[in-house]
Amino acid sequence: MRKWLPFGLGGRPQEPVKKEEIVSIEPVVHRSLALNVLFNQFKKEKKYRILDLGPALGGNVDFFSQFRCTICIEDLYSTLSSFDYLSPEDGFSYDAVFSYLMPYIRKARFDLILVWDLLNYLEREEFKHLIMHLGQYSRSGTLLFSLISTQQHIPETPCNFRIVDDERLEYRFNSSVLKDCPKYGKSDFDSLMPNFRVCNSFLLRNGFREYLFLYE
Amino acid sequence: MWKKTDVESNEVPGQPAREFERQPMREKAIIGPSLVFKGDLTGEEDLTIQGRIEGKVVLKKNGITVGRDGRVKADLYAKSICIEGDVRGNLYADDRIVIRETGNVKGNLVAPRVKLEEGSKFKGSIDMDSVQKQAVAPQSPKISTPPGKSPEAKESAKGVVQPKLGIKMDQPSSKT
């Protein structure tokens, strides 16, 4: 069975860009303005429901443990990468795959969705259907945090992000090989995530733009 | 079937132990690597699992350790739980849950304190809300099978079967 997702990209694996000036894979800590905005809104007494699409990192769990919260950790990219999927001819549908992998109860609503840099690794249709799926578990006011690369190339696989504190994020690169970046921008967000609007965005010096999207 | 070991002793190497100084022995049961247990297991002593268990383990006043060789498909209820091996199931601890770097857990965790060590693998939900932790009813763990790997999974991927497992989110939230 051929691999269809992911996501490389949409079943059309790209040749990695083999450049000499490969990114360093040493972890680096950067200031995160979006996290600062986000956690300034968090209140100790409220219970939060958080969906983390990244891998389970102890540091992030430790950070969130200061709040009353339920965290759901999906590690979506590695799950998708490790599975074989049906091709569209076999009756494949994005909705079915995402519903299968993230089968929350119907009335589940998250307060915060941490997408990290995953969107950079999705083709437009994948992007759109993932956001549609997440929209089912969002309510008015749900925040979605994402890092969109502004660079020509990105590491071949998503980074891991560890929250150091409420204004610093550690980037851990999993690959030193680069690939092309789709460079999603505002017009893409308007068409691919119609129920979310940009609430805050911050251009960072490290080649990412941080976004906080608000579900309406 | 059960091996008993002393886990606490006042003995000092090179010196004879004096009985009156000894602390009460705390017994610990071990399910060895070659053992397979299916069913519900309850008791009042600490347990180390190096073998395989399927079912449910309830040791509410004690600790459960799933060793590196341990393979568990069960819900675990204990005072504290430490995972070094492989677990598919929900973990409920009154004190804490620790997943060591060799641990791999798919399921839901409910405990006031949860620690994931660097390198550990986890998928599922973590409920660290001590107020609600007692009220959570056991649910099936979310164990994903790729949609393309079994006939049932194929049906699921086509939208025929909609699995409804996963996290417990039973109250609408107020705005952030």
Side-chain angles (χ1 to χ4, degrees), chain A residues 1 41 46-50 56-58 61-62 64-65 68-75 79 83-86 90-91 93 96-97 99-105 107-111 139-141 143 172, chain B residues 106 114-118 120-129 131-132 139 142-149 153-154 156-159 161-176:
Chain A
M1 183 175 292
Q41 299 179 30
K46 185 179 177 308
K47 171 145 186 167
Y48 293 93
R49 278 98 175 162
I50 299 166
L57 294 180
V61 173
D62 290 346
F64 285 116
S65 68
R68 293 178 60 208
C69 63
T70 298
I71 313 170
C72 190
I73 299 174
E74 287 301 338
D75 197 3
T79 303
F83 288 170
D84 291 332
Y85 287 89
L86 298 172
D90 293 326
S93 84
V97 169
S99 296
Y100 188 86
L101 294 177
M102 294 183 278
Y104 312 120
I105 58 174
K107 58 186 176 182
R109 295 291 180 271
F110 292 101
D111 301 292
R139 57 168 178 80
S140 177
L143 288 165
R172 298 178 179 181
Chain B
K106 284 186 180 175
V114 174
K115 177 81 176 170
L116 305 185
E117 287 193 353
E118 196 79 15
S120 62
K121 291 180 180 171
F122 170 73
K123 280 192 69 175
S125 73
I126 303 172
D127 188 342
M128 291 183 287
D129 181 11
V131 176
Q132 288 196 344
Q139 290 193 7
K142 188 182 126 191
I143 302 168
S144 296
T145 306
K149 290 205 167 171
K154 279 195 175 189
S156 174
K158 290 175 183 173
V161 179
Q162 286 283 343
K164 290 293 177 192
L165 306 175
I167 64 167
K168 307 153 285 297
M169 291 185 143
D170 48 3
Q171 294 175 358
S173 304
S174 57
K175 288 187 177 180
T176 306

Side-chain angles (χ1 to χ4, degrees), chain A:
Chain A
M1 183 175 292
R2 69 174 172 154
K3 280 208 167 189
W4 210 83
L5 277 172
F7 269 63
L9 297 157
R12 298 194 300 277
Q14 292 182 322
E15 283 298 313
V17 179
K18 291 186 168 45
K19 300 175 82 177
E20 290 305 317
E21 64 271 31
I22 281 319
V23 292
S24 163
I25 57 170
E26 289 298 309
V28 286
V29 175
H30 293 288
R31 187 152 182 236
S32 172
L33 299 168
L35 276 188
N36 194 235
V37 169
L38 186 63
F39 293 124
N40 278 337
Q41 299 179 30
F42 267 50
K43 298 180 179 69
K44 298 271 183 185
E45 66 276 10
K46 185 179 177 308
K47 171 145 186 167
Y48 293 93
R49 278 98 175 162
I50 299 166
L51 173 60
D52 185 347
L53 298 189
L57 294 180
N60 293 353
V61 173
D62 290 346
F63 179 82
F64 285 116
S65 68
Q66 66 184 294
F67 305 105
R68 293 178 60 208
C69 63
T70 298
I71 313 170
C72 190
I73 299 174
E74 287 301 338
D75 197 3
L76 190 60
Y77 185 85
S78 73
T79 303
L80 291 167
S81 304
S82 62
F83 288 170
D84 291 332
Y85 287 89
L86 298 172
S87 65
E89 301 85 66
D90 293 326
F92 163 89
S93 84
Y94 288 108
D95 293 339
V97 169
F98 288 130
S99 296
Y100 188 86
L101 294 177
M102 294 183 278
Y104 312 120
I105 58 174
R106 186 171 295 188
K107 58 186 176 182
R109 295 291 180 271
F110 292 101
D111 301 292
L112 171 63
I113 301 172
L114 299 167
V115 178
W116 308 114
D117 62 346
L118 178 64
L119 297 177
N120 298 307
Y121 295 85
L122 307 186
E123 216 176 39
R124 292 179 68 84
E125 278 300 297
E126 299 160 350
F127 185 138
K128 180 178 157 188
H129 283 88
L130 173 63
I131 295 297
M132 277 172 56
H133 183 73
L134 296 176
Q136 295 174 44
Y137 304 105
S138 300
R139 57 168 178 80
S140 177
T142 293
L143 288 165
L144 185 149
F145 174 61
S146 183
L147 291 128
I148 302 295
S149 176
T150 58
Q151 303 293 297
Q152 206 65 34
H153 300 110
I154 50 176
E156 197 179 20
T157 55
C159 303
N160 294 349
F161 295 92
R162 185 177 70 85
I163 300 170
V164 178
D165 55 34
D166 60 3
E167 56 181 24
R168 287 184 303 159
L169 203 54
E170 182 183 75
Y171 294 55
R172 298 178 179 181
F173 298 97
N174 294 311
S175 172
S176 60
V177 179
L178 301 177
K179 63 185 280 187
D180 288 342
C181 174
K183 294 180 76 172
Y184 290 118
K186 186 176 182 312
S187 60
D188 300 306
F189 303 141
D190 290 343
S191 60
L192 299 175
M193 43 197 313
N195 292 325
F196 286 89
R197 73 168 172 84
V198 176
C199 163
N200 290 97
S201 84
F202 303 97
L203 182 60
L204 307 180
R205 291 177 182 172
N206 61 11
F208 283 98
R209 183 182 279 274
E210 292 186 320
Y211 284 94
L212 274 178
F213 296 96
L214 185 71
Y215 186 83
E216 294 181 322

